[in-house]
Amino acid sequence: MPTPDSPASAPPAPPGSLRRIVAASLIGTTIEWYDFFLYGSAAALVFNKLFFPDSDPLVGTLLSFLTYAVGFAARPVGALVFGHYGDRLGRKKLLILSLLMMGGATCAIGLLPTHATVGSAAPVLLTALRLLQGFALGGEWGGAVLLVSEHGDARRRGFWASWPQTGAPAGQLLATGVLSALTATLSDGAFESWGWRVPFLLSGVLVLVGLWIRLSVDESPVFKAALARAEARKAAAGGEDAAEKMPLVAVLRHHWRDVLIAMGARMAENISYYVITAFVLVYATSDHVDLGKQTALNAVLIASAVHFAVIPAWGALSDRVGRRPVYLLGAAGVGAWAFPFFLLIDTKGFPALVLAVTVGLVFHGAMYAPQAAFFSEMFATRMRYSGASIGAQFSSVAAGAPAPLIATALLADYNSATPIALYVIAAALLTLVAVGVAKETRDRDLAAVEPTSAPSPRSATEAAERTARSASAQ
C-alpha cells in the first residue's frame, strides 16, 4: 500500500475528461501563441514604419525585432514566478492568470498610439506591453503541458502531451491567416492606418473563450497527490522544508543536469522555428528575393497547417520508439535543411517557398512534439513546473529571442543567406549533443519521479538510526 513517501501512479483521467483537458490546454496555448506570433508578424511587416519611422527600412526592422526579442527576455522571469507558484499552488490557477495577462497585453497593443501621434513614447509603451506578453508566456507553456502530461495515460503521454504543442502552429496559423486576410482585402495605407489593430483586438474575444474552457477542468491528480504527501511530511516534521518553500532551489540542487539538457535541446528547435516563420517574412520580401508580403504570409500559412498536423504524429511515434530518437531526427533534419531552405527561396517561386517552409517545420515538429513529455518526465512533481519552465524559457533568451535579429543583421552585413544557414546548423549541432547525452524518459512514471539526489525513505531511516546510536554511545 502506498505511503505518503512512496508515490504511486495516479490513474489516468477518463477519455472524455482527458479530451476536455487537452482542449483546455490546446485552446489556451493557441490563444497565447496567437498573441505572441501576431506581434512577430506585425514586427516584420508594419511596426518598423509605425513605431520607428526615422530609420531606414532594414534598421527599422532590426529595431522592431529588438522589441520582439524583449518579450523573450521576460520569459525566464515568468518561468521563475509561475513555476514557483505553480509548484506550490497548482497548475490550473497559474494557467488562468497567464491567459488573462497575455490577452490583456495584446488588446492594449491594438489600442496603442503610434510614433506619429505621441513620438518616442510609442515604442516605449510597445516595449512595456511586449515585456508583459513575454512574462505571461514564460509561465504558460510549462503549466499547459504539465496539466495534460499529469492527467494522461502514461502509454500515450507523448501523443497527448503533444497536443498543447500544436497550439504554436495553430496560433501561427490563426495570426498569419488574420493578417493575410487583412492584407489581401485592405490597401497598404488602410492596413498601416488601422487594419493592423484588428487582429490584436480580436484577442479579447479569444481570451474569453479560453478562460471559459480552462475554468472547467480539474487540477492535475499527480500534483494533488504530491501536495498531499508534502503536507504529510510537513506535519510529521513539524514544519516546512526549504525545498517546499523554494522549488527553484530544489530544481537547481537536484535537477541541474536536466535543466542544462532541456536548454540545449531547445536551441535548434527555437532558433530554427523563428528563422523559418518570422525571419522568412523579411528575407522573402527583401530586395534579395523581392516576393510580395502576401506571398510570404500565404507560404507560412500553408506550412503552419502541415506543422499542426504532423506534431501529434511525431508525438505518437515518440511513444513507440522513445523521445530521444524522434528529437534527434528533428535536430539533424533542420541542420541538413538549412542550405536547401534558402536555395529554394532564392528561386523566387511560390511553390519552392512553400516547400522550403513546410519541410523545415516538419523537421521542427519532430523536436517540438516529444518535447512536452520529454521535459515533464525529467523532473519530480513538486518542482516539475519550475524545472520544465526554466529549462524551456531560459534557453529562449539565447535562442528564439535573438534569432530573427541575428538573421536580419547577417543578411544586412553579408547580403547572403550562407551565414544564416551556418547559424542554424551550429544550433542543430548543439542540440544533437544535448539530447545525445540525455537519458531516455519514455517509460518513467511521473508520480514516481523523485529528485535524483534526494534520499530514499529507507536511507533516511537508516541515517536517523545511525544518529540515534551515535548519541546513545556518547
Side-chain angles (χ1 to χ4, degrees):
M1 179 178 295
T3 69
D5 290 310
S6 62
S9 298
S17 175
L18 182 57
R19 283 191 290 269
R20 187 171 66 254
I21 291 159
V22 169
S25 292
L26 171 58
I27 290 175
T29 53
T30 298
I31 294 167
E32 302 246 8
W33 284 110
Y34 165 80
D35 293 349
F36 206 74
F37 290 138
L38 184 60
Y39 189 102
S41 298
L45 297 174
V46 296
F47 281 179
N48 57 332
K49 301 173 185 176
L50 297 174
F51 293 92
F52 308 98
D54 296 332
S55 307
D56 68 54
L58 197 54
V59 173
T61 301
L62 280 168
L63 292 172
S64 184
F65 274 139
L66 188 58
T67 62
Y68 178 72
V70 162
F72 285 85
R75 284 165 68 170
V77 182
L80 290 173
V81 174
F82 280 84
H84 172 81
Y85 288 103
D87 280 329
R88 299 204 70 203
L89 305 177
R91 296 24 173 150
K92 177 180 172 179
K93 295 182 180 71
L94 275 298
L95 281 174
I96 291 171
L97 179 60
S98 71
L99 185 64
L100 290 172
M101 290 179 66
M102 185 67 146
T106 304
C107 286
I109 290 174
L111 298 172
L112 272 182
T114 63
H115 188 279
T117 305
V118 296
S120 59
V124 172
L125 291 170
L126 180 67
T127 302
L129 291 172
R130 182 60 176 170
L131 281 168
L132 187 57
Q133 276 191 323
F135 179 81
L137 190 57
E140 163 67 24
W141 181 84
V145 300
L146 292 189
L147 198 64
V148 176
S149 295
E150 293 178 344
H151 270 97
D153 180 356
R155 293 173 300 176
R156 305 187 68 197
R157 185 181 298 127
F159 171 73
W160 288 117
S162 71
W163 278 101
Q165 300 292 77
T166 65
Q172 178 79 68
L173 191 65
L174 190 57
T176 306
V178 172
L179 284 172
S180 182
L182 288 169
T183 56
T185 56
L186 298 176
S187 65
D188 288 346
F191 182 75
E192 292 178 12
S193 175
W194 60 268
W196 68 272
R197 298 181 183 275
V198 173
F200 286 94
L201 296 174
L202 281 176
S203 178
V205 177
L206 297 174
V207 166
L208 292 176
V209 175
L211 185 62
W212 173 68
I213 294 176
R214 282 196 168 172
L215 286 170
S216 69
V217 302
D218 294 326
E219 181 55 82
S220 153
V222 172
F223 173 80
K224 288 191 288 187
L227 182 61
R229 292 194 299 272
E231 292 296 329
R233 286 195 300 269
K234 183 173 69 172
E240 191 171 38
D241 62 31
E244 295 296 339
K245 291 180 180 179
M246 291 294 293
L248 170 62
V249 175
V251 167
L252 297 180
R253 179 183 301 157
H254 302 301
H255 287 290
W256 60 269
R257 183 178 181 274
D258 296 316
V259 169
L260 291 177
I261 288 172
M263 292 175 67
R266 284 272 285 172
M267 296 303 289
E269 179 266 307
N270 227 215
I271 288 172
S272 66
Y273 189 78
Y274 290 104
V275 168
I276 292 168
T277 61
F279 173 71
V280 73
L281 299 177
V282 175
Y283 187 76
T285 58
S286 68
D287 294 338
H288 189 76
V289 179
D290 199 26
L291 290 171
K293 62 183 177 184
Q294 184 65 47
T295 301
L297 284 168
N298 287 342
V300 174
L301 195 67
I302 294 169
S304 294
V306 176
H307 194 212
F308 180 91
V310 300
I311 284 177
W314 286 123
L317 183 62
S318 78
D319 286 327
R320 296 178 62 86
V321 303
R323 318 297 182 214
R324 292 175 66 254
V326 178
Y327 212 116
L328 291 169
L329 173 63
V334 295
W337 190 246
F339 277 107
F341 175 78
F342 288 107
L343 290 173
L344 284 168
I345 298 174
D346 287 343
T347 65
K348 304 182 181 182
F350 179 67
L353 176 61
V354 172
L355 179 63
V357 179
T358 301
V359 173
L361 287 183
V362 168
F363 282 127
H364 173 269
M367 293 181 285
Y368 200 53
Q371 189 179 99
F374 190 30
F375 289 7
S376 298
E377 290 158 348
M378 289 181 181
F379 301 96
T381 303
R382 288 284 281 165
M383 55 191 81
R384 185 170 292 135
Y385 202 143
S386 295
S389 296
I390 291 168
Q393 303 305 337
F394 270 65
S395 60
S396 68
V397 176
L405 192 66
I406 290 172
T408 303
L410 290 172
L411 180 63
D413 288 345
Y414 295 96
N415 196 32
S416 167
T418 298
I420 306 168
L422 292 174
Y423 170 49
V424 174
I425 290 170
L429 291 173
L430 183 57
T431 292
L432 287 170
V433 171
V435 178
V437 301
K439 296 178 181 178
E440 179 56 59
T441 62
R442 177 185 54 165
D443 296 324
R444 289 185 181 174
D445 179 353
L446 289 186
V449 179
E450 291 296 332
T452 53
S453 61
S456 67
R458 180 179 176 182
S459 64
T461 302
E462 291 172 349
E465 290 174 350
R466 286 194 300 269
T467 301
R469 286 196 298 269
S470 175
S472 61
Q474 293 175 352

